[in-house]
Amino acid sequence: DAKTTQPTSMDCAEGRAANLPCNHSTISGNEYVYWYRQIHSQGPQYIIHGLKNNETNEMASLIITEDRKSSTLILPHATLRDTAVYYCIVRVRDTNAGKSTFGDGTTLTVKP
Amino acid sequence: GAGVSQSPRYKVTKRGQDVALRCDPISGHVSLYWYRQALGQGPEFLTYFNYEAQQDKSGLPNDRFSAERPEGSISTLTIQRTEQRDSAMYRCASSLVFGIHEQYFGPGTRLTVT
């Protein structure tokens, strides 16, 4: 799997957009970008994934650069409950895609 | 609907004892994954199953660790002759179809070896 690099921590003001970057410069053509988050001691929660087009769902938007070497997860109006560790993962989607490498993620702190 | 459940939620055991951790995936989910998570770190992959077949066990630290999923549903992760370094949160996840990475995680089992 391609290695990902994320900042260790970020702060965001409540109500503002939180933009979390991820570098994956060695990503290959058939690898998707996935984002998960982990709130306090809960299990990780799936947020969104994409291949090359930008994606949006009820939780967030995912912007992938044209060369696919980096991406940004956007939480449009961050709330205090969005304080969590956010993980960016790069993975192929095939029958052998079981092993996942989470890394240490970005700790996002949303401040009032 | 019901999510992934794990039991026990907390387990304290003495060094040298065997422990069995149980995972009950979301009904109908084909793939099941085990992770270990140390405090302040991301989940570390241990092993995964498609149905009852163990597809990859490359993340199991040593031969004291084993996992099974005999009927393609509930899975058990067994640690024999536990050591203090085995203390961690053990998490289970399941996904609807193999090859799809949207995994749903359980609450975890906090294992403490004294």
Side-chain angles (χ1 to χ4, degrees):
Chain A
D1 297 337
K3 179 179 171 62
T4 62
T5 303
Q6 299 178 253
T8 301
S9 63
M10 293 182 63
D11 291 342
C12 177
E14 187 179 19
R16 304 297 295 269
N19 298 289
L20 294 106
C22 180
N23 287 323
H24 31 79
S25 59
T26 60
I27 193 171
S28 58
N30 63 345
E31 289 182 312
Y32 287 69
V33 180
Y34 288 81
W35 284 84
Y36 284 74
R37 74 179 182 184
Q38 188 168 24
I39 297 173
H40 193 44
S41 59
Q42 298 176 21
Q45 175 191 25
Y46 165 79
I47 301 173
I48 199 168
H49 74 276
L51 181 62
K52 52 185 176 182
N53 297 323
N54 298 336
E55 302 288 343
T56 296
N57 63 21
E58 65 280 3
M59 291 183 67
S61 295
L62 174 61
I63 308 298
I64 302 173
T65 58
E66 192 170 343
D67 63 7
R68 303 205 326 119
K69 293 184 177 182
S70 66
S71 61
T72 302
L73 179 74
I74 301 172
L75 309 178
H77 305 286
T79 70
L80 299 179
R81 288 177 296 178
D82 291 322
T83 292
V85 179
Y86 288 77
Y87 298 100
C88 169
I89 301 162
V90 175
R91 198 68 182 100
V92 297
R93 291 184 87 191
D94 64 25
T95 56
N96 294 317
K99 186 172 183 175
S100 305
T101 302
F102 275 76
D104 292 335
T106 295
T107 299
L108 174 69
T109 303
V110 181
K111 299 185 174 182
Chain B
V4 177
S5 61
Q6 292 185 245
S7 61
R9 294 289 309 276
Y10 302 90
K11 177 69 176 179
V12 180
T13 190
K14 293 185 185 297
R15 183 164 54 91
Q17 296 295 307
D18 298 350
V19 296
L21 312 181
R22 172 183 166 131
C23 173
D24 200 341
I26 294 173
S27 178
H29 276 203
V30 166
S31 298
L32 184 147
Y33 313 80
W34 282 100
Y35 294 86
R36 178 171 68 175
Q37 187 168 20
L39 201 61
Q41 297 182 15
E44 172 194 9
F45 171 83
L46 295 177
T47 185
Y48 89 100
F49 296 82
N50 287 337
Y51 299 105
E52 72 283 356
Q54 191 171 18
Q55 298 292 327
D56 184 342
K57 53 182 182 179
S58 63
L60 295 176
N62 51 58
D63 60 8
R64 295 186 298 106
F65 288 72
S66 63
E68 63 174 8
R69 193 186 185 199
E71 297 179 0
S73 179
I74 294 169
S75 176
T76 302
L77 176 70
T78 301
I79 309 173
Q80 296 179 314
R81 304 181 303 281
T82 53
E83 301 177 4
Q84 285 188 324
R85 59 178 172 158
D86 299 334
S87 296
M89 177 71 82
Y90 288 84
R91 298 197 185 273
C92 172
S94 68
S95 62
L96 181 60
V97 183
F98 46 78
I100 293 179
H101 198 271
E102 296 91 297
Q103 299 179 11
Y104 297 87
F105 283 78
T109 295
R110 168 71 66 189
L111 175 66
T112 303
V113 182
T114 60

